Amino acid sequence: AARRIALAAQGLARARPARPGPAALRGMFDRVQLVQLDSVNVLVRSHELPLWARLGDHARDLLPRAVARRELFEYWGHEASLCPVALHPLMRWRMDAARTGANVWGNVARIARERRGFCDEVLAQIGARGPLAAGERDGGGARPKTGWWEWSDGKRALEYLFWAGALTATRRPGSFERVYDLPERVLPPAILAAPTPAIDEAHRQLLARAARALGVATAPDLADYFRIKRPAARPRIAELVEAGALVPVAVDGWREPAYLDPAAAQPRAVAARALVGPFDPLVWHRDRALRLFGFHYRLEIYTPAPKRVHGYYVLPFLLGDRLVARVDLKADRAAGVLRVHGAFAEPDVDAPAVAAALAAELRAMAAWLALTDVVAAARGDLARPLRAALRTPR
């Protein structure tokens, strides 16, 4: 029952729309609240996968167009995320904390403490010149990178200003590069003019939104959704319970008490079929995925290849109300092929039935990505039935 409530809350218990457009995207964000951004592009940019799971075959520029219409903005929601602009006032407590160097990475906090004048110069430069990427900034402490996280002081200043809300950011078309600009040139005036709620009220509203997105959840689940620290979240959750905005419940097998969104749908059955991205809100809290689905999920991108269990970029496969398999995928754009490097079944599933459904989902994904074929390698216990299913005429 908890699985079905969670899937319905995430918009995964309904049929995908026939022609998903802006209205369908707005409906999706009304449920999930935010989409986590990530640069990995071995299959597709990771933030496109939650749309695929819920909307199916949609225009690949659906998210950028929503940003251009000023419906979404980028900020630290879960991690770096695209959020509806209505969330901007609810995130200002985090921006305020960042101005003191709190809640930001160490080197970014150092810039805020030690080179505040330089940060002001960077802000003034963007105000004068217009939107800039980190590499386009003039002078001011730039130095060669020596590794992924060895940023120049200019990049750190931009990140500090972004955390603090003095700058906002968009992404350059065709790349994942952040372009920084003044909020008044990017966000709707009505949003910027909206009053800033007190931190306790902002936390209550964010936790209520998390409950809507999760359906049923523990206190740590709710706090994790918008990255609110647990000691700060617990009294706000108690207040939501007292107000009737959360209902305490027990879920079999869960060690902690749970809370139900009183408006959550409770379907008796779910007929879902979706490949779920590694940063999808359904599974980004790995402990919750284990509690809900019995699915132990670890992303192995940063694991040395010989030590990987399932592969480099592995997606869970949702069928019905269970995560029944996982596949290691790569879009081979040069060959026009969606490659399945490995396919693995979860315990106690009907492998031929799972393989048939997975083959249909992979073919649909390949068509969405303008790839002409799906080719499965022999790795994994689901590989043989999947290869057989892919040979079956459609």
Side-chain angles (χ1 to χ4, degrees):
R3 280 199 302 271
R4 294 193 295 272
I5 291 168
L7 289 167
Q10 282 284 305
L12 289 162
R14 56 174 59 189
R16 290 162 168 165
R19 291 184 178 87
L25 182 68
R26 285 190 288 270
M28 190 199 89
F29 271 93
D30 187 50
R31 288 183 173 276
V32 302
Q33 302 295 320
L34 75 173
V35 166
Q36 182 177 334
L37 293 164
D38 193 84
S39 62
V40 176
N41 197 26
V42 64
L43 174 64
V44 64
R45 296 286 183 198
S46 294
H47 42 277
E48 294 189 60
L49 290 171
L51 278 67
W52 166 256
R54 291 158 182 81
L55 305 182
D57 187 5
H58 63 279
R60 296 283 302 280
D61 64 349
L62 201 55
L63 276 175
R65 283 192 286 125
V67 173
R69 289 193 304 271
R70 300 188 175 194
E71 294 179 4
L72 303 174
F73 78 108
E74 182 175 339
Y75 191 61
W76 296 101
H78 181 73
E79 294 291 327
S81 306
L82 281 177
C83 311
V85 292
L87 287 183
H88 189 274
L90 301 182
M91 293 297 179
R92 291 175 191 162
W93 62 273
R94 183 165 286 157
M95 299 173 189
D96 291 342
R99 292 186 188 107
T100 68
N103 296 330
V104 298
W105 300 327
N107 283 335
V108 175
R110 180 185 64 78
I111 284 290
R113 290 191 310 269
E114 298 176 6
R115 300 199 66 189
R116 185 61 64 92
F118 172 59
C119 294
D120 292 341
E121 291 172 12
V122 171
L123 180 60
Q125 184 179 140
I126 289 178
R129 290 182 54 186
L132 292 174
E136 296 167 337
R137 187 191 51 78
D138 290 338
R143 57 185 173 80
K145 296 179 181 179
T146 58
W148 274 1
W149 305 113
E150 293 299 322
W151 288 349
S152 70
D153 279 357
K155 171 63 172 174
R156 294 187 183 106
L158 289 168
E159 282 298 304
Y160 160 69
L161 293 165
F162 175 70
W163 274 94
L167 293 176
T168 190
T170 56
R171 298 285 173 168
R172 182 152 284 164
S175 77
F176 195 67
E177 186 177 29
R178 242 187 205 155
V179 179
Y180 300 86
D181 202 354
L182 300 180
E184 55 266 33
R185 295 199 290 235
V186 176
L187 299 173
I191 292 297
L192 293 174
T196 301
I199 185 170
D200 289 356
E201 177 59 21
H203 284 177
R204 274 190 294 271
Q205 291 192 40
L206 290 171
L207 290 164
R209 286 173 177 265
R212 173 177 169 79
L214 296 172
V216 61
T218 64
D221 294 342
L222 294 170
D224 175 75
Y225 208 83
F226 286 102
R227 294 292 205 236
I228 299 171
K229 293 185 183 300
R230 293 181 189 180
R234 289 191 183 276
R236 307 291 80 82
I237 290 170
E239 291 161 1
L240 290 169
V241 169
E242 186 176 358
L246 289 177
V247 179
V249 294
V251 178
D252 289 347
W254 290 16
R255 295 179 182 178
E256 292 205 40
Y259 303 91
L260 176 71
D261 171 19
Q266 301 186 39
R268 294 190 176 186
V270 170
R273 190 194 81 187
L275 285 160
V276 179
F279 304 109
D280 192 288
L282 185 71
V283 295
W284 67 26
H285 193 326
R286 306 307 196 210
D287 176 68
R288 176 177 168 83
L290 184 60
R291 277 183 280 114
L292 270 175
F293 299 101
F295 192 84
H296 188 273
Y297 186 32
R298 295 292 181 269
L299 191 61
E300 298 179 282
I301 286 177
Y302 304 111
T303 302
K307 296 184 178 181
R308 291 179 194 140
V309 176
H310 296 108
Y312 180 79
Y313 197 70
V314 175
L315 273 63
F317 180 49
L318 172 68
L319 188 63
D321 66 0
R322 293 186 61 194
L323 296 175
V324 296
R326 61 190 87 201
V327 283
D328 181 17
L329 298 181
K330 176 180 175 61
D332 185 343
R333 298 172 182 89
V337 167
L338 177 58
R339 298 199 181 276
V340 186
H341 291 312
F344 308 85
E346 290 299 287
D348 304 319
V349 301
D350 181 340
V354 168
L358 177 58
E361 181 74 359
L362 289 166
R363 284 169 172 154
M365 175 176 272
W368 172 58
L369 297 176
L371 303 172
T372 57
D373 199 5
V374 180
V375 176
R379 185 167 179 265
D381 58 355
L382 191 61
R384 180 175 290 181
L386 176 61
R387 285 152 67 102
L390 288 169
R391 287 194 296 270
T392 303
R394 303 183 191 189

